[in-house]
Amino acid sequence: MEELKFLEEQQVAPELIKRVEEFRSQYEVVPETAGRIVKPSIPFYGKDILEMAIAGLLKGENLLLTGPKATGKNILAENLAYIFNRPAYNVSFHVNTNSGDLIGTDTFVDNEVKLRKGTIYQCAEYGGFGILDEINMAKNDAVSVLHATLDYRRSIDVPGYDKIDLHPAARFIGTMNYGYAGTKELNEALVSRFLVIDMPAQTEESLEFIFRRMFPNIKENARTQFIGVFLDLQLKATNSEISTKPLDLRGLLAAMKIVETGLSPRKAVTMGVVNKTFDIFEKEIVEDIVKTRIPADWTRDDVYER
């Protein structure tokens, strides 16, 4: 299958790929949810991480992806939903997320009270992959809803309505960063319902894979310099010399895309990376990194083959 070729390229265990194909064949997609199956804009690189994640999901487990910014947590979650050919349901947790947002709330339709189904309810009903973003920002009220959903009961009690059982293909993938404002430690009861994967930092090898896949006509020297910008920023952030604000892989890749339109590479990286920080001293550090890697006189032709 075309969707699974990049697993073969990374030499993911053939037995796992075979079982993913069987999973895809076993569980059909309801037509009204087909629009939620979206090819990720960024491929995920990492054989070991992919094998751990796929093995867990095949056995009905839920995953918790942890790690600092720019390690690819959401990218992995999106890729896994696509690999398994399941509709993705995204929940971005924040301090105001409550149980009604997840399960549903009463609404008035055709002169009667009906349930407006929440994201978790729909995911459970249609066998989707629920991506629970920044789960450690959730209030206890919201998290308590997930307990029966995530453990062996695989069910949801809908107050005033009924209990629904999860579709056998439904899975949940949580992501969390440590140290962000508004985050907190997850309680043990919730963590015990996940298999936890600690995401490693990006490496030159992983970035090479992403850049080659997304920009096949990029020149070798340009690819090296753009990757170098990210790795330099990552090192500075690791050493606490800068914050993680400019450490933005999506921003760097977006800059690469707009260079193709003819915009100066330096200007593109300024938009995608440098301007992500609003501290004047930090911005100077980031600008210096960019200046050492991306010459001011570079044009599109210095970056891409014709």
Side-chain angles (χ1 to χ4, degrees):
M1 294 182 183
E2 183 68 31
E3 298 90 340
L4 305 182
K5 274 189 176 179
F6 86 104
L7 297 180
E8 296 173 359
E9 290 174 16
Q10 297 186 55
Q11 299 182 327
V12 169
E15 178 62 24
L16 288 176
I17 296 176
K18 177 185 175 184
R19 296 189 65 177
V20 168
E21 291 174 338
E22 292 170 353
F23 182 100
R24 291 165 61 102
S25 300
Q26 182 178 0
Y27 299 113
E28 294 183 359
V29 178
V30 179
E32 54 262 41
T33 68
R36 289 184 173 273
I37 301 175
V38 180
K39 184 176 182 179
S41 59
I42 304 174
F44 181 83
Y45 178 84
K47 175 179 180 290
D48 292 342
I49 297 294
L50 283 167
E51 288 186 342
M52 288 190 289
I54 290 170
L57 293 171
L58 283 170
K59 298 305 292 183
E61 299 294 335
N62 303 298
L63 305 177
L64 179 60
L65 311 178
T66 68
K69 182 182 176 184
T71 51
K73 297 181 291 296
N74 289 89
I75 292 171
L76 174 58
E78 293 166 3
N79 273 264
L80 289 170
Y82 186 67
I83 288 168
F84 280 84
N85 196 41
R86 302 312 304 168
Y89 292 85
N90 291 274
V91 180
S92 293
F93 283 96
H94 51 80
V95 292
N96 294 319
T97 304
N98 58 43
S99 56
D101 298 324
L102 304 180
I103 298 177
T105 54
D106 288 333
T107 186
F108 204 63
V109 179
D110 298 329
N111 294 320
E112 60 179 316
V113 176
K114 292 185 178 180
L115 179 69
R116 186 183 65 190
K117 298 173 183 178
T119 309
I120 298 297
Y121 189 115
Q122 294 178 61
C123 182
E125 184 177 30
Y126 294 117
F129 272 33
I131 301 174
L132 313 175
D133 193 25
E134 305 294 359
I135 193 172
N136 56 332
M137 293 188 74
K139 295 188 300 185
N140 291 336
D141 167 59
V143 169
S144 62
V145 171
L146 300 174
H147 285 183
T149 309
L150 296 172
D151 67 17
Y152 67 94
R153 290 169 285 183
R154 289 181 60 83
S155 63
I156 300 175
D157 269 310
V158 186
Y161 292 89
D162 202 355
K163 178 175 80 82
I164 68 163
D165 294 322
L166 268 65
H167 186 290
R171 303 287 189 274
F172 293 92
I173 304 172
T175 73
M176 61 180 283
N177 289 299
Y178 286 112
Y180 273 24
T183 62
K184 60 182 181 180
E185 286 289 330
L186 288 183
N187 66 58
E188 291 184 24
L190 186 60
V191 174
S192 69
R193 288 162 166 79
F194 290 100
L195 291 177
V196 181
I197 297 178
D198 190 19
M199 302 289 287
Q202 296 290 349
T203 64
E204 186 174 355
E205 184 181 16
S206 64
L207 293 170
E208 282 271 1
F209 178 84
I210 293 170
F211 273 71
R212 287 180 185 276
R213 293 274 302 198
M214 293 187 67
F215 310 106
N217 62 329
I218 191 174
K219 291 184 176 180
E220 184 175 351
N221 180 51
R223 184 177 66 247
T224 300
Q225 296 308 323
F226 276 95
I227 289 173
V229 167
F230 185 86
L231 293 176
D232 290 348
L233 291 171
Q234 183 172 258
L235 181 60
K236 292 283 187 185
T238 301
N239 294 335
S240 301
E241 296 176 55
I242 61 172
S243 71
T244 57
K245 290 177 182 177
L247 188 64
D248 189 340
L249 182 56
R250 280 194 178 91
L252 184 62
L253 295 173
M256 295 292 303
K257 291 177 183 177
I258 62 176
V259 168
E260 288 189 291
T261 69
L263 186 68
S264 153
R266 178 75 70 80
K267 290 179 181 177
V269 176
T270 297
M271 293 169 62
V273 176
V274 178
N275 289 346
K276 295 295 176 70
T277 179
F278 302 101
D279 179 273
I280 186 169
F281 299 108
E282 182 172 77
K283 185 173 287 188
E284 287 178 359
I285 296 173
V286 178
E287 284 177 332
D288 287 343
I289 290 173
V290 172
K291 286 176 182 177
T292 61
R293 292 285 187 175
I294 312 297
D297 60 354
W298 263 17
T299 67
R300 181 203 178 280
D301 291 339
D302 293 298
V303 176
Y304 293 107
E305 302 283 0
R306 281 289 181 184

